[in-house]
Amino acid sequence: MDKNILEKINQIFKEVLEHDNFQLAPTTTTKDVEGWESSTHMMIISEIEDQFNIEFELDELWTMKNIEDLVASVASKTLQIL
């Protein structure tokens, strides 16, 4: 897993959720982070898209199960840009 992407995503989570009472790991899901719910999820995804200059397809978002899937998707999209 790309640690640079994970760190940037971690910072986005902190900003959107307005707390840092969590540590994102590959297996982290919405159940593991206080405040990560449907409304904040869309804010997090939007901020990730802005920060990485990418766009997720709706079907991609539905298939992501954890942070590892999110980081992998960001990594593949940023490689396509290069």
Side-chain angles (χ1 to χ4, degrees):
M1 179 167 25
D2 188 310
K3 292 188 186 250
N4 290 328
I5 292 174
L6 177 60
E7 183 54 39
K8 287 180 183 180
I9 289 174
N10 192 56
Q11 188 59 40
I12 290 168
F13 269 72
K14 288 177 183 179
E15 290 171 9
V16 170
L17 299 177
E18 299 179 342
H19 72 84
D20 62 357
N21 300 333
F22 58 87
Q23 181 59 43
L24 297 181
T27 58
T28 303
T29 68
T30 57
K31 297 174 187 167
D32 303 318
V33 179
E34 181 183 335
W36 185 9
E37 51 200 36
S38 59
S39 60
T40 54
H41 181 75
M42 293 315 298
M43 293 168 62
I44 290 166
I45 293 300
S46 178
E47 190 61 29
I48 289 170
E49 288 177 326
D50 290 347
Q51 290 290 321
F52 288 96
N53 196 30
I54 60 172
E55 285 188 26
F56 293 108
E57 299 294 326
L58 188 56
D59 61 327
E60 287 177 281
L61 296 173
W62 283 110
T63 60
M64 289 181 198
K65 297 179 182 120
N66 54 34
I67 291 296
E68 183 173 32
D69 291 346
L70 177 58
V71 170
S73 183
V74 171
S76 72
K77 289 180 174 302
T78 55
L79 285 176
Q80 292 172 6
I81 294 169
L82 301 174

